[in-house]
Amino acid sequence: MMQRVILHVDMDYFFAAIEERENPELRGKAVVVCMLSGRNELSGAVSACNYVARGYGIISGIPCSKAKKLNPKAVFLPVRKEFYTSISNRVMEILRNYVDVREEGDAFEQISIDEAFLGITEKTGGNFSRAFEIGMQIKNEIKETENLTCSVGIGPNKLIAKMTSSIKKPDGITVVSPNELESFLLPLKVSKLWGIGDVTAGKLQKMGIITIKDLAEHDVTHLISTFGKNRGIWLKKAAAGIDDSPLKERDGSEQISRISTLPKDTLDIKLISQLLNKLVEDVICKLDSMELSFRTVTVMVINSNLRMYTKSRTLNHHVHSKEVLVEMAHEIMRELLSESHVELRRVGVRVSSLLKRKGQKSLFDY
Ligand code: TTP
Ligand code: MG
Ligand code: MG
């Protein structure tokens, strides 16, 4: 069996980074994004802050009033959740382009507004140097298209990839291959293990278990008697860096999409159609390999001002015909173009409301 390779991406100081990008005057200043309760000024908690603010001891979760005391000169901004979500969706679209085309199971899992796992086993042939290159490509594309940085972790499973992405932050990339697993994991405190919170860490400490090495060497039956069967076994396995959990698309987000940059910013329908055809081809290829049919088609365009527009169409039946997808995608694109006066930079296609083909007929057979 091929060595599994999982890549984890976490955007750097995400909400604060977006605010910095939107207002370059903020660069170099301490930026604090606050969830304001609305009762009075600075009555809420810190949602995100940039690394300058962190230098003053400001972190997510502390009261904004405390952040103000730590650095009175910091810039305090209110959370704009919808706006950040739209940027998050764009980043996720970019990331989806890098994952394996698989026969079965998911190769993408978004776990929060700024984080996702990517399955790249087949893409890399199980090779971690190749995975590093893909990680660099991802970082470059996000920097170029969104002007944001992220940190990447690569490992043999989700557990290790997740723990690895935070080693070099911000703007870092770290690989932990199977033969580096023990030297990476064993010296760490158990609280660093993804999935161990303060309560478990406290219980473990009382048992004399401080490092992951202590945990790995601990008798599993003792762990089971303290934490129960499932949790006990999980702890023992996690300490050894073992995690077989699959990637899972979020419910309701089953979709296949491809997005790409045009050779130049343009409104030329020929250039745009060429790229659209290529994207449709890729989407169909993936649909076929997964034996899926679709009902909804979405076309996305990002213009030279980096604004994204999307338009969708939903059919009455599930289909998997390439002709139908081509026709729908071009029709939606023509509508988007008729509404756009700004040249396009990137173009994307997504199919969703997916269904396993069970020998059902394509639209043309009706
Ligand atoms: P994180 O990825 O935990 O943090 P971050 O991206 O701000 O910083 P880092 O460089 O360390 O990754 O969270 C992502 C976003 O989620 C964050 O920008 C704001 C939001 N968030 C909250 O609103 N409240 C919180 O307590 C945390 C931790 C995050
Ligand atoms: Mg982050
Ligand atoms: Mg995060």
Side-chain angles (χ1 to χ4, degrees):
M1 257 231 325
M2 204 182 282
Q3 170 61 51
R4 200 169 173 225
V5 185
I6 306 295
L7 186 148
H8 178 257
V9 177
D10 187 303
M11 301 301 293
D12 298 323
Y13 59 104
F14 191 48
F15 294 1
I18 294 172
E19 295 296 349
E20 256 183 36
R21 177 189 89 172
E22 294 298 302
N23 181 1
E25 279 176 23
L26 295 176
R27 285 270 153 84
K29 295 181 185 165
V31 177
V32 183
V33 178
C34 291
M35 241 149 355
L36 300 173
S37 70
R39 263 182 235 133
N40 53 55
E41 212 195 342
L42 296 185
S43 61
V46 171
S47 168
C49 59
N50 66 3
Y51 282 72
V52 180
R54 289 181 204 193
Y56 292 87
I58 299 172
I59 53 169
S60 293
I62 66 169
C64 298
S65 52
K66 187 173 173 202
K68 181 91 176 169
K69 282 196 194 105
L70 288 167
N71 182 358
K73 284 189 179 156
V75 180
F76 291 85
L77 300 167
V79 170
R80 298 193 278 166
K81 190 68 186 289
E82 269 179 38
F83 180 52
Y84 309 145
T85 303
S86 71
I87 312 283
S88 166
N89 290 341
R90 281 154 56 160
V91 170
M92 296 301 153
E93 293 292 351
I94 292 173
L95 297 178
R96 279 174 185 282
N97 280 332
Y98 286 90
V99 308
D100 285 345
V101 176
R102 291 239 233 149
E103 306 260 321
E104 205 176 318
D106 300 326
F108 185 80
E109 177 176 355
Q110 183 182 351
I111 55 167
S112 79
I113 192 162
D114 82 331
E115 278 169 68
F117 289 112
L118 283 65
I120 53 168
T121 303
E122 285 161 28
K123 278 253 160 88
T124 56
N127 179 315
F128 282 79
S129 317
R130 180 79 195 97
F132 179 87
E133 287 167 24
I134 292 180
M136 287 308 296
Q137 280 174 24
I138 290 173
K139 288 169 68 66
N140 290 336
E141 185 172 351
I142 294 178
K143 180 72 193 164
E144 267 172 34
T145 57
E146 293 295 335
N147 196 18
L148 293 169
T149 64
C150 64
S151 297
V152 169
I154 296 160
N157 54 48
K158 284 161 66 175
L159 174 75
I160 301 302
K162 164 76 185 172
M163 290 171 67
T164 301
S165 68
S166 55
I167 293 179
K168 289 189 204 133
K169 236 184 185 308
D171 204 12
I173 175 166
T174 311
V175 179
V176 172
S177 64
N179 51 14
E180 297 160 320
L181 197 59
E182 284 200 348
S183 55
F184 163 67
L185 214 50
L186 296 184
L188 297 175
K189 294 241 166 69
V190 283
S191 57
K192 294 278 181 196
L193 210 52
W194 185 42
I196 291 195
D198 292 345
V199 176
T200 304
K203 279 190 196 166
L204 287 169
Q205 191 172 2
K206 283 204 189 102
M207 296 161 71
I209 300 171
I210 311 296
T211 65
I212 295 179
K213 182 168 189 281
D214 297 337
L215 183 58
E217 288 170 351
H218 207 82
D219 183 18
V220 70
T221 52
H222 189 211
L223 290 171
I224 289 172
S225 66
T226 314
F227 295 97
K229 191 169 175 215
N230 287 339
R231 184 80 173 152
I233 292 174
W234 180 84
L235 284 166
K236 184 77 181 177
K237 278 188 165 177
I242 298 168
D243 169 27
D244 302 324
S245 61
L247 274 61
K248 270 196 87 64
E249 284 275 5
R250 276 187 177 179
D251 281 347
S253 76
E254 278 106 16
Q255 49 176 256
I256 295 172
S257 66
R258 289 291 180 270
I259 191 161
S260 193
T261 307
L262 288 154
K264 60 172 190 193
D265 290 9
T266 183
L267 279 172
D268 180 358
I269 183 93
K270 258 199 198 141
L271 273 180
I272 293 167
S273 297
Q274 264 172 22
L275 184 57
L276 196 60
N277 283 334
K278 192 187 154 296
L279 297 172
V280 165
E281 192 78 43
D282 282 3
V283 168
I284 281 289
C285 185
K286 175 132 186 183
L287 270 173
D288 285 344
S289 75
M290 295 172 78
E291 296 191 350
L292 293 170
S293 52
F294 61 91
R295 213 156 75 82
T296 301
V297 178
T298 304
V299 174
M300 306 153 263
V301 298
I302 296 170
N303 68 21
S304 25
N305 300 331
L306 294 182
R307 295 214 174 280
M308 183 188 249
Y309 299 90
T310 65
K311 230 185 216 317
S312 303
R313 279 269 181 297
T314 300
L315 296 163
N316 294 326
H317 308 281
H318 280 88
V319 298
H320 56 265
S321 144
K322 180 179 164 185
E323 289 78 7
V324 173
L325 183 56
V326 169
E327 194 168 309
M328 287 174 79
H330 284 272
E331 191 184 305
I332 300 170
M333 179 59 84
R334 276 195 296 275
E335 282 175 31
L336 280 167
L337 280 175
S338 71
E339 294 161 11
S340 176
H341 304 291
V342 182
E343 293 182 325
L344 303 191
R345 180 181 163 81
R346 286 162 70 72
V347 171
V349 182
R350 172 169 61 227
V351 290
S352 51
S353 320
L354 303 180
L355 188 72
K356 200 86 189 160
R357 292 176 201 168
K358 291 192 190 91
Q360 91 273 34
K361 294 174 173 179
S362 83
L363 195 66
F364 286 125
D365 298 324
Y366 283 99

